[in-house]
Amino acid sequence: MQIVTVQHYDAFSTEPNKGNPAGVVVEGSQYSEQEMQEIAKMVGFNETAFALPSNQADIRIRYFTPGHEVDLCGHATMATIYALQTQGFLVNKSSITIETKAGILPILLEEKGEKLYITMQHAAPQFVDFNGSKAALAQSIGLNEDELHAELPIVYGSTGLWTLLIPVQHLASFEKMSPHTATFPSILKEMPTASLHPFCLQAFDKSADMHARHFSSPYSGTIQDIVTGTASGVMGAYYAKYINPEVIYPKTLVVEQGQELDRDGRVHVHVNKVDNELDISITGTAVYVKELKIQI
């Protein structure tokens, strides 16, 4: 039996108890995969990240939900890089690479005053059609089918982690959303383990371009993700592919999330085209909240 120190950071916010909480273990090489999973389950956040040495990049990061390991997590990456930089592990570094199960990804670090901004490259965007029942899908998040956007497609999207992108007509629908998580796999026949990501082109903040919520796969052991980095990233690719194909690059979109849970957060999504392929990155920050002691 041992005591594990897990640091709680809130990502996509500079204010504690806003944005998205993540657990960070800065010396993750001490723990086996089974122990990492046990730690993540006991912490209970959507993701807990473990920093490890890498032979291919500056660091390796593994991400665990309470239920299973995932390939990539935007908010836990923000939290981990912020923790490593502020604790002296990344002295005089303005750029690094991270090894993840989604690939080797570059990270840029920029200090502005007392704030550290972290820009995270995403994997190449991928999309797969959703061919299931729109009525059942809407019902699974507490909406009627006519609240979904009539003209924009519902598709699975990934820039490192698969989610179902669900365009919704109006901002008013988001407050009443209520996920029936257990029904998701039967509706998501193409990708039963995917999460659901409803979004719209209206926002509470006039400076934001999109508003979103994020409902977890029932296999992850959580209900919803408060502010999502990977899903925000793929929203940028969706915007360029389906909403505004004539977009002038580079384009930065501001995505707001978390207001319904009183944990307002912001993700800046950068959309560019390189060699005729969409190139996606996100910028955010994090803030230290407290230290957790977990017994395993």
Side-chain angles (χ1 to χ4, degrees), residues 185-233:
S186 64
I187 297 166
L188 309 181
K189 297 187 186 302
E190 300 88 354
M191 292 189 190
T193 62
S195 56
L196 269 59
H197 194 74
F199 70 94
C200 75
L201 299 177
Q202 300 173 350
F204 292 107
D205 184 343
K206 289 190 168 93
S207 67
D209 299 286
M210 295 177 170
H211 179 81
R213 294 187 73 175
H214 189 88
F215 301 119
S216 307
S217 161
Y219 302 107
S220 71
T222 60
I223 302 299
Q224 65 181 305
D225 219 334
I226 299 165
V227 189
T228 44
T230 49
S232 294

Side-chain angles (χ1 to χ4, degrees), residues 275-292:
D275 297 330
N276 213 34
E277 297 291 334
L278 285 174
D279 180 85
I280 306 296
S281 60
I282 63 170
T283 297
T285 187
V287 60
Y288 174 78
V289 181
K290 62 184 177 182
E291 192 172 88
L292 307 173

Side-chain angles (χ1 to χ4, degrees), residues 60-99:
R60 181 185 179 199
I61 306 178
R62 297 183 70 176
Y63 311 90
F64 289 81
T65 74
H68 58 87
E69 186 174 9
V70 295
D71 291 350
L72 186 66
C73 174
H75 83 273
T77 299
M78 297 288 156
T80 304
I81 300 302
Y82 188 93
L84 293 173
Q85 200 274 352
T86 54
Q87 292 177 43
F89 290 95
L90 303 174
V91 176
N92 299 323
K93 294 274 191 180
S94 59
S95 65
I96 61 168
T97 54
I98 62 171
E99 176 190 348

